[in-house]
């Protein structure tokens, strides 16, 4: 089938969204040189002064930082963080927990976990039991991103086989949870759980967030195949850019003379691109968004559309579109439709309950599809304010391209951009998979490279907020240097915290010395709040232990501050201090 047949059916009406005349070349040049090297500007390690409102934020003032914790909670934090520093305990944590369960019995084991690791990092077992934690944090200005811990057990009836060496997706992962497809009934259960989570977030926390993972809502094989389509289309346009010597310039500056390409390459562009488009002499190519309007959200959830008809890629030899895979069965078509419909239901429910929806990032072989579908959700639900937020993993080499493309698209189409910036949760798994299968490592070279990428993405979004006030970003980081960098840039740009365009986020049970001082200074701050039955969250607790060991510099500082506050309470007679709620 040729693209002319499919494109003219539904792409022509909105073609200029994906291929538009370059009108903002000057803005791209202005934004890209933004300074991001934190070493160039020294910041006192103890204190940051917010010049815009003369508020001093002291990240080592332990009395204020731990005002929400009683002394037993301080002791628990010290014990848990200390245990996380022992390599043997972290490496063998699964075996140790299995042995503890056998020796103590299930009931005593659960009680022990609630007194230690579970109590430190998890808010409770259900929507009712988490309220005291959420409400206490809210009393001190800290909101919640609710995240229910669904089952992480692998169902071996389906293993995703993008490659024969495709391994277990949980291995080497530090995210909250990973899903394996079981059946449609299980996906419906996941959706119902997310709906309850959204309702709980709306009822327990003002302006709250609720987190979802797309792989919980349908057959991930669809995301895998959809991602392959998007990646191949991106490579197709990169191929065209290289033919005109444009492959070395920034993505936003790539301009292609399509008629010239037709002559120089002999490629059947008229079978790929409509005649109307060919009249544009010089177009800017949004590479990741090359199918932005071919796969519109409304069309994807329209029962009359066959999704398998859209999963086509260009053949560089013939100039024709070819199916990525053999035709789906009717049942597979229905399964993909249900996945998209579940997303639609969740987004509508979030709007009705005044909750923002945080779409978690996943592995790179799923992420193009996840990001694409999240953009389609933003088009519908982010018209007046940011309801749907996408997660960008800044340890990826392509992170800045992904962020800048979506920001630019939001400006041109007039919807509100919403992002959560993280460093990333799948580094070890992604690298081992790249080596095993034999493709370029998608991860930045080292931690410092990731820091630079994070700050570059952050600066770009902050510039966008400064210019039109319709972008929103959550700085999801435990890195104190990144937090200080954000505060400094906000001051330089005149972005007050009261605008509530820049949020800060940390995990429950970690980095209270960052979260609570920021909140008390008037900045919007959120804790990522996992909850669920003890047995369901064991994999999450295991990963938190590994993460604590992996960022020992920050945890060591946190332990020192906890000891400092404990000593202060002992010497000042406040050992029985109880937080006021």
């Amino acid at each position: 089938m040729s693209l002319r047949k499919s494109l003219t059916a539904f792409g022509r009406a909105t073609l200029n969204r994906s291929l538009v005349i370059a009108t903002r070349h000057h803005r791209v040049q202005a934004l890209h040189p933004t300074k991001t090297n934190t070493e160039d500007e020294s910041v006192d390690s103890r204190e940051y002064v917010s010049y815009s409102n003369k508020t001093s934020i002291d990240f080592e003032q332990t009395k204020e930082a731990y005002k929400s914790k009683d002394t037993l909670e301080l002791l628990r934090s010290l014990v848990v963080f200390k245990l996380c520093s022992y390599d043997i305990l972290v490496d063998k944590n699964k075996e140790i927990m299995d042995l503890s369960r056998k020796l103590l019995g299930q009931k005593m084991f659960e009680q022990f976990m609630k007194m230690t690791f579970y109590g430190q990092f998890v808010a409770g077992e259900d929507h009712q039991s988490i309220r005291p934690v959420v409400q206490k944090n809210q009393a001190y200005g800290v909101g919640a991103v609710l995240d229910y811990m669904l089952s992480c057990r692998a169902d071996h009836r389906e293993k995703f086989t993008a490659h024969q060496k495709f391994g277990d997706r949980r291995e080497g992962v530090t995210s909250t949870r990973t899903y394996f497809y079981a059946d449609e009934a299980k996906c419906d259960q996941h959706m119902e759980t997310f709906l309850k989570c959204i309702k709980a977030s709306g009822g327990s926390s003002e302006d709250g967030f609720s987190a979802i993972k797309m792989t919980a809502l349908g057959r991930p094989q669809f995301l895998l195949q959809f991602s392959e389509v998007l990646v191949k289309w991106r490579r197709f346009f990169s191929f065209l850019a290289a033919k005109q010597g444009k492959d070395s310039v920034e993505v936003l500056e790539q301009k292609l003379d399509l008629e010239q390409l037709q002559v120089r390459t002999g490629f059947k562009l008229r079978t790929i691109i409509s005649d109307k488009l060919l009249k544009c002499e010089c177009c800017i190519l949004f590479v990741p968004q090359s199918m932005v309007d071919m796969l519109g959200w409304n069309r994807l959830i329209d029962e009359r559309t066959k999704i398998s008809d859209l999963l086509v890629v260009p053949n560089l030899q013939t100039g024709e579109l070819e199916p990525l895979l053999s035709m789906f069965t009717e049942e597979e078509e229905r399964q993909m439709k249900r996945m998209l419909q579940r997303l639609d239901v969740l987004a509508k429910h979030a709007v009705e309950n005044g909750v923002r929806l945080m779409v978690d990032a996943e592995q790179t072989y799923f992420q193009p599809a996840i990001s694409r579908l999240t953009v389609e959700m933003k088009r519908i639900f982010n018209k007046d304010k940011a309801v749907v937020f996408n997660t960008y993993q800044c340890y990826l080499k392509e992170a800045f391209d992904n962020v800048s493309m979506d920001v630019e698209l939001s400006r041109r189409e007039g919807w509100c951009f919403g992002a959560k910036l993280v460093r990333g949760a799948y580094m070890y798994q992604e690298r081992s998979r790249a080596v095993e299968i034999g493709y370029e490592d998608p991860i930045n070279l080292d931690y410092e490279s990731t820091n630079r990428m994070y700050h570059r993405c952050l600066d770009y979004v902050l510039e966008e907020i400064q210019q039109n006030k319709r972008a929103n970003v959550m700085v999801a980081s435990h890195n104190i240097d990144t937090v200080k960098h954000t505060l400094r840039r906000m001051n330089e740009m005149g972005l007050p915290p009261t605008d509530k365009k820049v949020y800060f986020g940390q995990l429950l049970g970690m980095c209270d010395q960052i979260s609570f001082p920021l909140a008390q200074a008037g900045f919007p701050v959120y804790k990522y709040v996992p909850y669920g039955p003890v047995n369901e969250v064991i994999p999450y607790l295991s990963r938190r232990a590994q993460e604590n060991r992996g960022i020992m510099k920050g945890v060591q500082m946190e332990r020192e501050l906890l000891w400092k506050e404990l000593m202060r309470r002992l010497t000042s007679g406040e050992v029985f201090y109880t937080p006021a709620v």
Side-chain angles (χ1 to χ4, degrees), residues 26 40 67 79 124 168 231 264 271 274 281 334 460 472 510 531:
H26 65 284
D40 291 343
K67 186 184 292 186
V79 170
D168 188 328
V231 169
R264 291 179 59 187
T271 67
S274 70
E281 293 182 357
R334 285 194 292 268
Y460 191 91
N472 300 258
M510 297 183 68
Y531 66 104

Side-chain angles (χ1 to χ4, degrees), residues 142-274:
V142 177
V145 180
L146 297 189
D147 187 14
Y148 186 75
M149 299 285 101
L150 297 173
S151 176
C152 295
R153 297 185 183 90
D155 189 318
H156 295 283
R157 286 176 290 176
E158 174 173 82
K159 282 283 190 175
F160 314 124
T161 55
H163 186 275
Q164 61 182 357
K165 295 182 179 179
F166 201 137
D168 188 328
R169 292 192 294 127
R170 294 179 300 174
E171 183 179 356
V173 174
T174 57
S175 67
T176 51
R177 65 260 189 262
T178 303
Y179 296 99
F180 284 81
Y181 181 78
D183 52 44
E184 289 300 293
K186 190 67 174 178
C187 292
D188 286 335
Q189 291 177 18
H190 291 165
M191 184 187 71
E192 290 299 324
T193 300
F194 287 144
L195 289 174
K196 292 177 182 178
C197 189
I198 291 170
K199 185 175 181 180
S201 183
S204 61
S205 178
E206 184 180 354
D207 293 328
F209 286 87
S210 185
I212 66 169
K213 265 192 184 314
M214 284 198 188
T215 49
L217 298 171
R219 187 184 291 271
Q221 188 72 17
F222 166 58
L223 296 175
L224 193 70
Q225 292 161 345
F226 190 9
S227 291
E228 188 172 350
V229 169
L230 295 173
V231 169
K232 286 190 175 182
W233 272 98
R234 177 170 183 165
R235 290 173 182 167
F236 167 59
F237 284 112
S238 296
F239 164 81
L240 296 180
K243 288 294 182 181
Q244 286 192 331
K246 305 292 181 62
D247 51 324
S248 61
V249 301
E250 292 282 356
V251 172
L252 281 172
E253 298 179 55
Q254 288 183 353
K255 305 172 186 178
L256 303 182
D257 185 332
L258 300 177
E259 287 285 8
Q260 185 185 83
L261 278 171
Q262 178 94 1
V263 173
R264 291 179 59 187
T265 66
F267 196 66
K268 298 180 182 179
L269 289 176
R270 288 187 179 275
T271 67
I272 299 284
I273 304 169
S274 70

Side-chain angles (χ1 to χ4, degrees), residues 192 248 285 298 332 544:
E192 290 299 324
S248 61
L285 222 44
N298 287 330
E332 288 172 331
R544 287 288 71 79

